[in-house]
Amino acid sequence: MARFHPPTLHFAFCYILIALTTNPSILLASEDDEFSIIDSDSNLFHQDYSPPAPPPPPPHPPSVSCTDDLGGVGSLDTTCQIVSDSNLTSDVYIAGKGNFYILPGVRFYCATPGCSIILNITGNFSLGNSSSIFAGDFELAAHNASFLNGSVVNTTGLAGKPPSQTSGTPQGIEGAGGGHGGRGACCLVDDTKLPEDVWGGDAYSWSSLQKPCSFGSRGGSTSKEVDYGGLGGGVVKLEIKLLLEVNGSVLADGGDGGTKGGGGSGGSIHIKAQRMTGSGRISACGGNGYAGGGGGRVSIDVFSRHDDPSVFVHGGSSNACPENAGGAGTLYDAVPRSLIISNHNKSTDTETLLLEFPYQPLWTNIYVRNKARATVPLLWSRVQVQGQISLLCDGVLSFGLQHYASSEFELLAEELLMSDSVIKVYGALRINVVVLRESSVIHSNANLGVHGQGLLNLSGPGDWIEAQRLVLSLFYSIHVGPGSVLRGPLENATSDSVTPKLYCENEDCPVELLHPPEDCNVNSSLSFTLQICRVEDINIAGLIKGSVCSFSQGEDHCCPLYWNDKCIRNG
Ligand SMILES: *[C@@H]1O[C@H](CO)[C@@H](O)[C@H](O)[C@H]1NC(C)=O
Ligand SMILES: *[C@@H]1O[C@H](CO)[C@@H](O)[C@H](O)[C@H]1NC(C)=O
Ligand SMILES: *[C@@H]1O[C@H](CO)[C@@H](O)[C@H](O)[C@H]1NC(C)=O
Ligand SMILES: *[C@@H]1O[C@H](CO)[C@@H](O)[C@H](O)[C@H]1NC(C)=O
Ligand SMILES: *[C@@H]1O[C@H](CO)[C@@H](O)[C@H](O)[C@H]1NC(C)=O
Ligand SMILES: *[C@@H]1O[C@H](CO)[C@@H](O)[C@H](O)[C@H]1NC(C)=O
Ligand SMILES: *[C@@H]1O[C@H](CO)[C@@H](O)[C@H](O)[C@H]1NC(C)=O
Ligand SMILES: *[C@@H]1O[C@H](CO)[C@@H](O)[C@H](O)[C@H]1NC(C)=O
Ligand SMILES: *[C@@H]1O[C@H](CO)[C@@H](O)[C@H](O)[C@H]1NC(C)=O
Ligand SMILES: *[C@@H]1O[C@H](CO)[C@@H](O)[C@H](O)[C@H]1NC(C)=O
Ligand SMILES: *[C@@H]1O[C@H](CO)[C@@H](O)[C@H](O)[C@H]1NC(C)=O
Ligand SMILES: *[C@@H]1O[C@H](CO)[C@@H](O)[C@H](O)[C@H]1NC(C)=O
């Protein structure tokens, strides 16, 4: 059983809202007094998302020698040059005080799954024009490093074992993709489930996304007898003191599963340098296959960047269901502390899991874009960043679980900016400053409280906020542009939509839910479905619709006004 321990809600400043407890027992504390997610549907969580920290690595063996072991010229304490192809047959550790050059056109490889090449030198490293390194795990520590035009570090499909207790490799014979940063796709059609509830291998190693080091996972097979799944992507770590030049390719993609196997998931790439230049390619994508593998994890910690290499972490393509590629992996940009989830416009129903967010320090920005679908599959959580949460180009961000619509989230950011994107909430959500553009939608099948100190701007046609019960409060200004809609309840409520109850009836609920603050709270005896409260200024060119609306302007009282089943329009 998976168990999450999202932080309980301790607000320094309080305006809370809306609990909703269609099924209060879901919120029961477990024996160890932490909220746990229900275990009745173990299928949903067939894995532990945060494997324990691995034991410290064993000390390195002594370094191999340049000439005897590697067939090179020179010495590792001056300059070692690899002048001809070198087929290593087992892990190597290479260390010295000099330079290490792999000359143009040379292949330096240990091409068995999981085989590791670790290079630790004090001088320069260079991988020549058209040279290649193949390995499962390539780690380089050097002063400067150049990966020249046409060169490749290729750990594609050469993963060793992924961390234990992960289920990145799907079970069954559906030919599903492996998971890692994103889930693997599964082409099975199950009409009893939502498309996003069907996936292959699961995601893992969220907790190490800032310093990713896990192998990708193998895809599934379509046959019981033969394992056709593509292997996972390997691991690349570059720790360069000064200057890193990437004009070649650095690859940790998942292996291809062909027509009978799922793609492997992308592996991990962790780059740390003072300065990075070049126009190469850095990629930890899911492998293609019967169903595509999930993207891997990339983290880039570089202080100064020039004509950046391009970075890719998208899911692999699914031959059997082209509309549903593997889920996007994660790209963490360490200097601005930003997380980017992009599926490179590959359409998918397969999700990227976002779990707990760090508090000290907070991340700055989160971008979900280019058809990525990110989800926070928890019951309680605070998703907090310092800057912006931005959903662009068909990005989807969902909170909670469709089957348990009583989740509750707080989303804290300077700004939530949405363009042609969707937020789905299964439960309640609190957010601050919100701007919706180009047909963006915030949808909740239960209570949605949107509370902020700034502007709520639904700028034009297709921009909607809708929920079974919608409460907007504390905004300085609400702008509902032409063609925009604020609506409660949902027009076409489905069976998973819940009639929300206010306040939590369970003793174990956080105190804020039992005793909401006085100002602007929601009085459960009022049967409204849309409330706008303590908002300075409202400008409505679009539509506000609710069966009963309770408006209140001004500081110290909420005086309800009702419009039964009537649309309100005004200038
Ligand atoms: C490299 O060595 C291994 C083991 O000796 C062998 O199986 C493999 O074929 C060699 N690869 C090449 C390209 O020579
Ligand atoms: C490289 O070797 C030095 C000692 O020579 C050691 O201090 C350092 O930790 C090593 N770096 C890596 C990444 O192994
Ligand atoms: C690394 O590159 C910089 C700039 O090209 C150079 O000044 C420095 O000497 C190089 N470092 C080493 C160890 O050669
Ligand atoms: C390392 O490379 C830089 C240029 O990239 C060069 O200036 C420097 O002399 C090289 N260092 C050594 C020790 O060869
Ligand atoms: C790269 O190597 C190829 C042959 O391997 C050669 O034709 C080409 O000129 C080289 N390019 C550079 C920029 O050195
Ligand atoms: C790098 O190689 C590609 C082809 O492999 C070529 O199109 C490009 O011009 C080269 N760039 C440089 C700077 O040599
Ligand atoms: C990397 O390795 C994979 C698997 O062996 C291979 O399919 C791919 O062509 C390689 N990529 C490059 C650029 O060498
Ligand atoms: C790397 O690529 C950049 C931009 O394409 C180019 O200016 C630079 O000369 C290249 N460096 C090498 C060593 O090929
Ligand atoms: C994805 O699509 C958007 C909008 O069509 C476009 O602006 C963007 O450049 C595309 N991105 C990629 C990586 O293809
Ligand atoms: C709302 O956003 C639109 C598009 O960004 C902008 O044109 C408009 O001025 C904004 N309205 C307000 C009141 O800021
Ligand atoms: C609700 O259903 C009606 C009829 O099927 C449809 O015309 C309308 O667009 C739907 N509304 C929404 C918000 O999906
Ligand atoms: C809720 O509203 C009812 C009717 O207006 C009122 O009697 C009651 O005191 C209110 N409760 C709270 C907690 O404000």
Side-chain angles (χ1 to χ4, degrees), residues 155-177:
T155 68
T156 295
L158 287 173
K161 283 200 172 65
S164 58
Q165 294 174 19
T166 54
S167 55
T169 297
Q171 295 178 343
I173 50 163
E174 276 104 41

Side-chain angles (χ1 to χ4, degrees), residues 87-89 107 109:
N87 182 1
L88 309 168
T89 49
R107 289 155 43 92
Y109 58 102

Side-chain angles (χ1 to χ4, degrees), residues 104-105 128-130 148-149:
N129 162 27
S130 306
L148 298 185
N149 202 9

Side-chain angles (χ1 to χ4, degrees), residues 330-513:
T330 56
L331 167 56
Y332 182 70
D333 199 345
V335 171
R337 295 201 311 273
S338 295
L339 177 65
I340 298 142
I341 320 273
S342 160
N343 216 26
H344 203 60
N345 291 349
K346 286 171 106 66
S347 75
T348 186
D349 294 320
T350 308
E351 296 184 314
T352 304
L353 305 191
L354 310 185
L355 300 173
E356 282 178 55
F357 283 56
Y359 293 129
Q360 281 179 337
L362 293 170
W363 286 342
T364 308
N365 298 317
I366 297 184
Y367 304 95
V368 178
R369 61 190 182 210
N370 296 339
K371 305 208 167 170
R373 301 184 65 110
T375 182
V376 185
L378 306 174
L379 276 188
W380 297 85
S381 192
R382 177 195 269 185
V383 173
Q384 181 170 9
V385 300
Q386 222 167 37
Q388 198 180 64
I389 295 184
S390 148
L391 281 85
L392 305 172
C393 297
D394 218 354
V396 177
L397 178 55
S398 19
F399 294 92
L401 301 161
Q402 186 228 349
H403 313 281
Y404 310 108
S406 35
S407 53
E408 187 159 325
F409 294 93
E410 210 194 359
L411 206 153
L412 290 180
E414 276 288 295
E415 184 177 39
L416 170 66
L417 175 63
M418 297 175 64
S419 176
D420 184 20
S421 292
V422 174
I423 289 186
K424 283 197 219 174
V425 190
Y426 300 110
L429 175 73
R430 239 188 72 157
I431 40 190
N432 288 350
V433 180
V434 190
V435 177
L436 279 74
R437 289 201 303 241
E438 291 171 33
S439 305
S440 292
V441 174
I442 301 180
H443 173 104
S444 164
N445 66 340
N447 287 342
L448 177 62
V450 184
H451 310 265
Q453 273 108 13
L455 168 73
L456 172 62
N457 183 356
L458 283 75
S459 59
D463 294 331
W464 286 0
I465 298 183
E466 58 173 8
Q468 286 295 75
R469 192 176 255 191
L470 179 60
V471 180
L472 305 174
S473 73
L474 296 171
F475 284 99
Y476 176 74
S477 169
I478 294 185
H479 173 81
V480 183
S484 301
V485 177
L486 285 176
R487 177 167 21 228
L490 302 175
E491 189 165 86
N492 299 333
T494 56
S495 54
D496 71 60
S497 300
V498 294
T499 309
K501 276 192 211 163
L502 299 181
Y503 304 160
C504 183
E505 289 164 346
N506 185 333
E507 300 184 349
D508 297 315
C509 268
V511 66
E512 296 93 339
L513 297 178

